Amino acid sequence: QVQLVESGGGLVQAGGSLRLSCAASGRTTSRSAMGWFRQAPGKEREFVAAITWSGGKTYYADSVKGRFTISRDYAKLMVYLQMNSLKPEDTAVYYCAARYEGNCSGYGCYATRYEYNYWGQGTQVTVSS
């Protein structure tokens, strides 16, 4: 079994920073990537960032590139999302996701939500204008 628990969300003013954490437990064998997605009310869940579990290669949506940084602690089974220069349009519920095995790789794979097998419950991020 795999469980993902997000934390670190909250209310912040535009221009501020937040650090999200994702604690993973259970299966680690054949894990290929961890990702962050977000969903605002009335909108589709969209890709934010991803990191390959073994190599640590990162991928970012254009909307957050240069502002957000995804990282991992391999030994602690933790994934982080450092969010700087936050904007009101970043307001959303942020979800941590894990991908295992599969037949794809690269941005087209890791940025696609249905390529992930497990999801956390989400943490709310609200950026005031």
Side-chain angles (χ1 to χ4, degrees):
Q1 68 281 1
V2 175
Q3 291 186 340
L4 305 174
V5 180
E6 305 96 334
S7 62
L11 175 64
V12 64
Q13 292 188 357
S17 298
L18 284 173
R19 181 179 174 87
L20 305 184
S21 299
C22 175
S25 63
R27 179 186 174 189
T28 58
T29 304
S30 299
R31 179 185 295 176
S32 62
M34 299 289 293
W36 288 96
F37 291 74
R38 66 188 183 186
Q39 187 168 21
K43 296 185 178 180
E44 296 290 317
R45 189 170 299 187
E46 67 176 0
F47 171 72
V48 176
I51 185 167
T52 62
W53 190 244
S54 296
K57 186 173 183 179
T58 58
Y59 302 84
Y60 296 95
D62 288 341
S63 60
V64 306
K65 191 172 296 183
R67 300 188 297 123
F68 292 10
T69 303
I70 188 171
S71 62
R72 82 207 196 286
D73 188 321
Y74 192 90
K76 295 182 179 180
L77 304 178
M78 296 286 292
V79 181
Y80 306 96
L81 185 68
Q82 178 67 46
M83 305 185 295
N84 299 326
S85 302
L86 283 162
K87 305 174 181 179
E89 51 262 46
D90 295 318
T91 295
V93 176
Y94 283 70
Y95 297 90
C96 178
R99 184 181 186 277
Y100 290 84
E101 300 177 347
N103 297 315
C104 68
S105 62
Y107 183 89
C109 175
Y110 304 130
T112 303
R113 65 178 183 235
Y114 56 76
E115 293 291 345
Y116 290 80
N117 309 100
Y118 301 95
W119 296 83
Q121 294 298 308
T123 185
Q124 177 71 47
V125 172
T126 302
V127 184
S128 62
S129 59

